Amino acid sequence: MVENSERSEDGRYSVEVGYQEKVRDGLNAYLASAETTLAGDDGALLRKVVEDVAKTGLLCYEWSAFRKVLLAILRQDLDEFLQRSEADESGGNENVAGPMNEAWTRIKSALEVIAKPPFTLQRLCEIALAPNAYYTNVKKFMYAVEKVATVTYNCILTLPEDYEGRVEELHTQFQPFLPSQQTADNTETDGPTAMDTS
């Protein structure tokens, strides 16, 4: 199983946890619990699953369990934005909190009624993991989350046994093209090409 983030020594793209039965069991236990936040080592591990999806766009766990983890992260993001907004506006947050909590209810409902993850799942995970990298205030954050979460198309779940192969396919597909590969592709055409200097 591939473990470690970013790229390995050979330049291959790798994931944090990939598919593991203990992670699946952890997701299912979290789904069955009344817990609504991610805490401790278990929370950190479940967050790494979201990081994997943000990197690859592949989900190999049950959507219902993954969805609860994703919603917990998004709710934490919203709460942090609201706290910051309250501190910045010296108590004028009441004007923002009401509409943002209404937007949260719409987002949560939209994600809870779909049987499969939205095709925008990768972007949703990216936003959830690093909201401050993309958005400066709660309104922009919630608008983006709502836009990405309320789509009507779904993505296909990756089977656990196919997960590592799909990660390898993604690596191959998005590997930067080498100049020698471009030249090889251009030699198959008839006549001169834009790459020819003669």
Side-chain angles (χ1 to χ4, degrees), residues 68-87:
K68 185 174 179 183
V69 171
L70 183 59
L71 286 170
I73 293 171
L74 288 168
R75 183 65 217 196
Q76 180 182 353
D77 292 342
L78 173 60
D79 290 343
E80 289 172 6
F81 266 114
L82 288 173
Q83 286 174 358
R84 240 186 351 262
S85 177
E86 183 175 281

Side-chain angles (χ1 to χ4, degrees), residues 27 30 36-38 43 46-47 49-51 53-54 59 62-78 104 107-108 111 114 117-118 120-130 141 145 148-149:
L27 280 165
Y30 183 72
T36 58
T37 60
L38 298 177
L46 296 180
R47 189 176 180 91
V49 175
V50 179
E51 291 172 11
V53 176
L59 178 61
E62 288 295 321
W63 165 238
S64 57
F66 182 83
R67 172 181 51 216
K68 185 174 179 183
V69 171
L70 183 59
L71 286 170
I73 293 171
L74 288 168
R75 183 65 217 196
Q76 180 182 353
D77 292 342
L78 173 60
W104 169 251
I107 291 165
K108 187 176 178 208
L111 290 174
I114 57 175
T120 54
L121 182 63
Q122 183 174 15
R123 181 66 181 144
L124 193 56
C125 292
E126 291 169 350
I127 293 170
L129 292 170
F141 166 71
V145 171
V148 174

Side-chain angles (χ1 to χ4, degrees), residues 48 85 100 119 158 163:
K48 288 182 184 217
S85 177
M100 293 306 104
F119 81 94
T158 302
Y163 184 78

Side-chain angles (χ1 to χ4, degrees), residues 113-159:
V113 298
I114 57 175
K116 295 180 182 177
F119 81 94
T120 54
L121 182 63
Q122 183 174 15
R123 181 66 181 144
L124 193 56
C125 292
E126 291 169 350
I127 293 170
L129 292 170
N132 297 313
Y134 305 107
Y135 307 103
T136 56
N137 68 54
V138 68
K139 289 179 184 179
K140 290 179 181 181
F141 166 71
M142 289 302 288
Y143 175 75
V145 171
E146 188 167 14
K147 183 176 179 183
V148 174
T150 56
V151 296
T152 56
Y153 295 106
N154 301 93
C155 69
I156 298 171
L157 293 177
T158 302
L159 296 174

